[in-house]
Amino acid sequence: MLDHYHEMLDHAEWFRERNVVIIPHGSLVEYLGSDKFGALEVPTFGNRGILHWESSRARQRQWLESGGCTMPRVLEDPHDIDGPVIVKYAGAKGGRGYFIARDYRDFRRNVDIEEEFTIQEYVLGCRYYLHFFFDPTAEDGFQVQGRGKHAGKNLGRLELMSMDRRDESNVDEFYKLGSLRDLREMALEPSFVVTGNQPVVIRESLLPRAFEMAEGTVAASFELEENSRGMLGPFCLETIVTDQLEFKVFEISARIVAGSNPFVGGSPYSDINETRMSTGRRIARSIRKAADDNRLHDILS
Ligand code: AMP
């Protein structure tokens, strides 16, 4: 048992001797830091290079927009706030400290200027967290079409594994106490601390657009850098669907997410390909198949 993720660095040889493959998750990347994670000399599932693109909101935006996703508007200057915005701090800390501001005064009152923050347009709609899996070694199924240097090539198979919505305390239950104005009078502010996950399915006619966004995101990941290996394995598009039935993507996680936990026994989406296929099992299957085909170098970094 280790007391801290950092100690993994001192045990790299121990891991390698036992043929360990690391499956990165949000806490590992957050607590180890992307530099230390890059320096950890233990075979890791997926492309570690892509976590550099995930770790900054500006880089995420460049990536997602080049993949054809529409994102909430960003405000560079807090004086420009002229409607509801959400102010977010850096890192995957489960929404802690985020707040909503309606104008510059609200912003000033709540902001912690010691921290790095982003101001985003607050998008009103329903949230869906779409869990996909990209397998570059599979030649069947929904094939991602390459772009740019990879135009005309099939890059691999894209699968929709499941979807969730997060429970967030206390914003999810805020309406029970009255209007935002009533709440302010009680000196209450909404907070976005993740406390759980609920399974959902999306309106069926939205699925083609969901696949289009995920395909674009995978294809764009191969174009981010010279000789990029792209993204592989599980990833999650965090979206809000407006009443115009438009998706706004506010974040990507380029790895397995906690929202896959309600689906350890499969989901209505993964059941279409194979019953009882969780994201964890899908990763294990990918490693087993690559080992059997002598292609581990294609899925590890
Ligand atoms: P994030 O850390 O980006 O995953 O955001 C945490 C939570 O804040 C989300 O699950 C949403 O409830 C909320 N949120 C984030 N971005 C927006 C946005 N642009 N508009 C509305 N709500 C948002």
Side-chain angles (χ1 to χ4, degrees), residues 15 43 45 68 73 76 112 129 132 154 162-163 174 203 212 252 271-273:
F15 286 124
F45 183 72
R73 201 159 51 92
E76 301 298 341
D112 176 356
Y129 298 71
F132 288 95
N154 285 347
S162 47
M163 279 178 210
F174 229 51
R203 184 171 170 165
E212 192 178 81
I252 182 169
D271 278 357
I272 294 167
N273 288 326

Side-chain angles (χ1 to χ4, degrees), residues 45-61:
F45 183 72
N47 174 6
R48 278 191 244 200
I50 217 70
L51 293 163
H52 166 72
W53 288 84
E54 189 211 59
S55 66
S56 124
R57 290 197 193 279
R59 285 191 290 267
Q60 279 199 11
R61 180 167 289 267

Side-chain angles (χ1 to χ4, degrees), residues 47 106 115 127 138 143 147 156 175 197 213 228 276 278:
N47 174 6
D106 268 0
E115 294 260 351
R127 290 167 299 124
Q143 285 290 313
R147 297 179 176 181
Y175 66 95
N197 302 83
M213 295 187 307
S228 171
R276 305 192 62 76
S278 66

Side-chain angles (χ1 to χ4, degrees), residues 266-295:
S267 86
Y269 296 111
S270 62
D271 278 357
I272 294 167
N273 288 326
E274 185 171 336
T275 54
R276 305 192 62 76
M277 183 57 78
S278 66
T279 296
R281 189 171 168 216
R282 186 64 188 80
I283 294 170
R285 165 86 46 100
S286 179
I287 296 172
R288 163 59 58 213
K289 187 166 178 305
D292 290 348
D293 297 347
N294 222 356
R295 292 187 66 178

Side-chain angles (χ1 to χ4, degrees), residues 159-214:
E159 298 164 38
L160 176 59
M161 301 303 299
S162 47
M163 279 178 210
D164 79 300
R165 176 176 304 152
R166 292 179 190 158
D167 286 334
E168 289 171 338
S169 183
N170 54 25
V171 67
D172 290 349
E173 302 295 320
F174 229 51
Y175 66 95
K176 289 182 182 161
L177 291 180
S179 70
L180 208 53
R181 184 161 300 139
D182 297 337
L183 290 156
R184 287 231 153 100
E185 278 166 15
M186 293 183 249
L188 290 172
E189 294 287 343
S191 53
F192 295 82
V193 178
V194 178
T195 57
N197 302 83
Q198 295 187 37
V200 290
V201 291
I202 206 164
R203 184 171 170 165
E204 236 174 279
S205 56
L206 292 169
L207 280 173
R209 177 64 187 142
F211 266 87
E212 192 178 81
M213 295 187 307

Side-chain angles (χ1 to χ4, degrees), residues 224-259:
L224 291 173
E225 291 166 19
E226 193 67 16
N227 299 324
S228 171
R229 290 180 62 195
M231 176 173 53
L232 68 96
F235 67 101
C236 174
L237 294 180
E238 306 188 1
T239 72
I240 299 172
V241 179
T242 68
D243 59 2
Q244 298 304 304
L245 297 176
E246 281 170 349
F247 277 99
K248 297 270 173 97
V249 181
F250 59 91
E251 198 163 299
I252 182 169
S253 297
R255 48 177 166 75
I256 192 167
V257 289

Side-chain angles (χ1 to χ4, degrees), residues 20 29 37 40 42 51 59 62 89-90 109 111 125 131 134 150 156 162 166 191 238 240 252 273 285 295:
V20 165
V29 180
F37 179 53
L40 182 63
V42 182
L51 293 163
R59 285 191 290 267
Q62 190 187 333
Y89 296 106
R109 200 175 50 226
V111 74
H131 318 145
F134 174 63
H150 300 282
S162 47
R166 292 179 190 158
S191 53
E238 306 188 1
I240 299 172
I252 182 169
N273 288 326
R285 165 86 46 100
R295 292 187 66 178

